[in-house]
Amino acid sequence: MTPTPPAAVMILAAGAGTRMRSATPKVLHRIAGRSLVAHALAAAAELDPGRTVVVVRHEREAVASHIADVAPHALIADQDAVPGTGSAVRCGLSTLDATTVAAAVAAGAIGDRAVLDNQVQGSVVVTSGDVPLVDGALLGALVAAHEEQGNAVTVLTAEVPDATGYGRIVRGTDGAVLRIVEHKDAPAEVRAIREINAGIYVFDAAGLRDALAHLTTDNAQGELYLTDVLALAREAGGRVGALVAPDASAVEGVNDRVQLAAAGGALNRRIVEGWMRAGVTVVDPATTWIDADVELEADATVLPGTQLHGATYVAAGATVGPDTTLTDVEVGEGATVTRVHGSLAKIGPGATVGPFTYLRPGTVLGKKGKIGAFVETKNATIGAHSKVPHLSYVGDAIVGEHSNVGAGSIFVNYDGVTKSSSHVGDHVRIGSDNTLIAPVEIGDGAYTGAGAIIRHDVPAGALALNAVSQQVVEGWVERRRPGTPSAAAARAAQDADDSRGLSSGAQEERAAAAADHKGEA
Ligand code: UD1
Ligand code: CA
């Protein structure tokens, strides 16, 4: 069943995260292409809450500005100097209440009525900025249980083999949840309990507000514990329920970098499995990494050692990998992308890229085009059916359709001061080892000779060449490099020619050709 959207989701992210030993706040560390807090925000968004608020304090500016980027609609609440999760939720709730009242004032809904009537009402989900495996489905199940049971508080719990450090769920003989006891406050018999508090709850807003007012710091850590709200809610006559997470590993928090990597691996397995179930062939899930925001169509194939990041999109019938890393790359239907490192590029349907190809931002390859081995491209549009097959650099260029760029050609886009672009038309044949010095334009159907240096525009249909003629100096090696292996090889070849009795005609032709070249030079 689809639960009713909660009035609000609150994400706690004020803690220092000292065990990360990092200059970066814990909730900004990333797995699967998103920060930890962005995972929490994405899960929250799936509930379609009335409001979302993130409670911050440690590295406030960095965290708040990141949240503004990834979830501009989310409210920021600043935690005051009072430590503890209870204090964090107090601050979050007062921000929610203040903005709810402000919205009501703005909408003209508050007239004579008391401000109190316009505080947040209904369900408030509280979750943590450091539990990236908790998704919208799990939060939704918790909200559904809360609604079904008519609870004042519903807590997400898990049965774990080692409960050290967690708050323990203390149940009565009838199984009802009585209270949560923090590890540091727990006597031995409570520490023996394996059911732990995952730190994720649904509260009735009014009951939460009342209970928060009664929290004390009378505990081992001298903090305001949010967990004390459960016993207070019971005392006030509310029902307290629990949902035991079906997969305990999904509620594990990230406190250090070992857990960060573990959560990253677990999330990746979940994402990769999701795509396989959706019809994507993944040959080796263990070496395939797919970010949360990547999309693939059914019948795409991902070969071993492939990492798909950011907003990468792979269409049906395309094959990506092996050993390919794509960030924000769009791969068209039926395209083949082999051993490529690419970012912010678009590969057309049926196109071929690789092996050993570097696609830099702004590369656009048309339908059935090819960017081959040891080619680097940047800000380059290469039209349908056009090919840059071998050993080239194409930067700041537009190449039309059905054109070919010969092996080893360089688009010289930088004169040391400014960058310029070049334009190659349709059905053009750029010879091998060309140097195109931008800005230069090559008209449709033009050819350029091997080794050409193109400094000026080439009109449509013309042949451009500027290669120096070849000189042949007969016998030079034997005269000028005597005693070398080359001289010996030359002598042996000459002797073989002589003993085969090369026709006098052929010998004359050869001599004439040599003389010709000397003359030209
Ligand atoms: C908390 C729970 C514990 C539970 C565990 C699950 C309390 C008292 N204890 O313990 O029962 O088993 O989570 O992981 O709630 N935070 C703030 N402001 C603060 C303190 C914490 O925003 O002043 C945030 C943290 O950034 C974090 C979350 O609250 O996102 C949990 O804080 P943490 O210090 O990890 O709580 P635990 O002691 O692990
Ligand atoms: Ca924790």
Side-chain angles (χ1 to χ4, degrees), residues 35-198:
S35 67
L36 298 181
V37 72
H39 284 288
L41 285 159
E46 286 185 56
L47 299 178
D48 193 24
R51 269 150 221 272
T52 301
V53 62
V54 186
V55 184
V56 300
R57 181 172 167 89
H58 176 73
E59 291 283 345
R60 192 247 183 236
E61 291 312 318
V63 177
S65 85
H66 172 72
I67 291 163
D69 283 346
V70 298
H73 62 279
L75 302 166
I76 301 292
D78 286 291
Q79 186 175 348
D80 56 25
V82 183
T85 49
S87 168
V89 170
R90 262 188 197 173
C91 298
L93 192 61
S94 63
T95 295
L96 283 172
D97 284 342
T99 54
T100 307
V101 171
V105 171
I110 288 192
D112 310 329
R113 271 190 287 148
V115 159
L116 281 179
D117 289 344
N118 287 283
Q119 291 176 325
V120 166
Q121 291 173 38
S123 298
V124 175
V125 175
V126 173
T127 182
S128 221
D130 61 359
V131 286
L133 295 174
V134 171
D135 59 10
L138 188 53
L139 292 181
L142 189 66
V143 174
H146 181 80
E147 282 188 314
E148 276 162 22
Q149 297 168 17
N151 291 337
V153 185
T154 310
V155 59
L156 185 66
T157 73
E159 305 268 4
V160 298
D162 179 9
T164 308
Y166 286 103
R168 307 299 205 283
I169 304 296
V170 179
R171 293 184 185 254
T173 45
D174 58 351
V177 176
L178 303 180
R179 62 185 173 275
I180 297 173
V181 180
E182 289 305 294
H183 182 90
K184 285 183 180 155
D185 299 287
E189 67 272 20
V190 172
R191 288 192 179 180
I193 296 170
R194 293 279 160 267
E195 186 182 9
I196 59 101
N197 167 26

Side-chain angles (χ1 to χ4, degrees), residues 19 26 130 253-255:
R19 280 172 285 171
K26 175 167 82 177
D130 61 359
V254 170
N255 294 303

Side-chain angles (χ1 to χ4, degrees), residues 7 34 47 67 133 150 164 172 199 213 276 281 311 338 348 351 363 380 384 400 443 446 510:
R34 287 181 188 155
L47 299 178
I67 291 163
L133 295 174
T164 308
M276 291 191 287
T281 295
T338 310
T363 298
R510 198 192 257 190

Side-chain angles (χ1 to χ4, degrees), residues 326-461:
L326 303 180
T327 305
D328 303 321
V329 173
E330 196 180 316
V331 180
E333 202 172 323
T336 305
V337 181
T338 310
R339 293 184 203 276
V340 173
H341 189 95
S343 55
L344 286 165
K346 202 173 157 180
I347 298 164
T352 308
V353 183
F356 309 108
T357 305
Y358 183 22
L359 304 181
R360 290 169 54 200
T363 298
V364 179
L365 177 61
K367 186 179 172 183
K368 297 203 170 159
K370 177 182 172 112
I371 302 178
F374 306 103
V375 176
E376 174 179 339
T377 58
K378 184 215 74 172
N379 188 26
T381 297
I382 294 160
H385 304 276
S386 285
K387 295 177 179 173
V388 187
H390 332 271
L391 300 155
S392 291
Y393 172 64
V394 184
D396 297 314
I398 296 174
V399 176
E401 301 187 350
H402 296 278
S403 289
N404 191 81
V405 176
S409 292
I410 306 293
F411 283 63
V412 179
N413 57 333
Y414 187 49
D415 63 6
V417 180
T418 47
K419 294 218 165 128
S420 309
S421 45
S422 291
H423 192 159
V424 173
D426 298 338
H427 294 280
V428 169
R429 295 283 171 270
I430 304 283
S432 290
D433 189 28
N434 273 209
T435 303
L436 280 73
I437 300 175
V440 77
E441 208 163 305
I442 300 189
D444 291 346
Y447 275 51
T448 68
I453 298 171
I454 305 296
R455 296 176 188 274
H456 309 291
D457 291 354
V458 179

